Amino acid sequence: MATKNYLISNVFESTKERISKVFDNFENIYISFSGGKDSTVMTHLVIQEAIKRNRKVGLLIIDLEAQYKHTITHIEEMIELYK
């Protein structure tokens, strides 16, 4: 039977550590942002790290022309928030 190895940090802290490593190792960083809940959380976390480091992040948004109006509004609000 396999032994389980538990991590000391939680998912949130582990995510922030991984984002920090990306900033340590790459000059240009881009986020694919769909406007959904997962990409919204990731966008907030990545941009918070970018602000902390005085760096810019590219945001990729693909307009599928069939998105809900609320999703488009949310995307526009996020862009405005982090202009």
Side-chain angles (χ1 to χ4, degrees):
M1 184 176 217
T3 304
K4 292 184 178 182
N5 295 321
Y6 293 96
L7 300 175
I8 296 171
S9 63
N10 59 40
V11 173
F12 179 64
E13 294 302 324
S14 295
T15 302
K16 289 182 3 180
E17 288 173 16
R18 290 180 182 119
I19 291 169
S20 180
K21 286 181 184 178
V22 170
F23 277 87
D24 290 343
N25 291 295
F26 296 95
E27 184 177 334
N28 298 311
I29 299 167
Y30 296 88
I31 305 167
S32 179
F33 180 56
S34 68
K37 63 184 183 304
D38 295 332
S39 68
T40 296
V41 170
M42 183 59 70
T43 299
H44 282 300
L45 293 173
V46 171
I47 292 179
Q48 286 172 6
E49 185 69 19
I51 290 169
K52 186 169 86 174
R53 294 176 182 238
N54 197 29
R55 302 260 309 266
K56 291 188 176 185
V57 173
L59 199 61
L60 172 65
I61 301 164
I62 298 174
D63 183 0
L64 301 175
E65 296 184 17
Q67 293 183 347
Y68 296 109
K69 176 64 178 145
H70 291 299
T71 302
I72 295 167
T73 301
H74 173 64
I75 291 170
E76 291 168 346
E77 289 169 350
M78 288 286 288
I79 292 169
E80 188 63 30
L81 178 64
Y82 291 116
K83 221 170 199 179

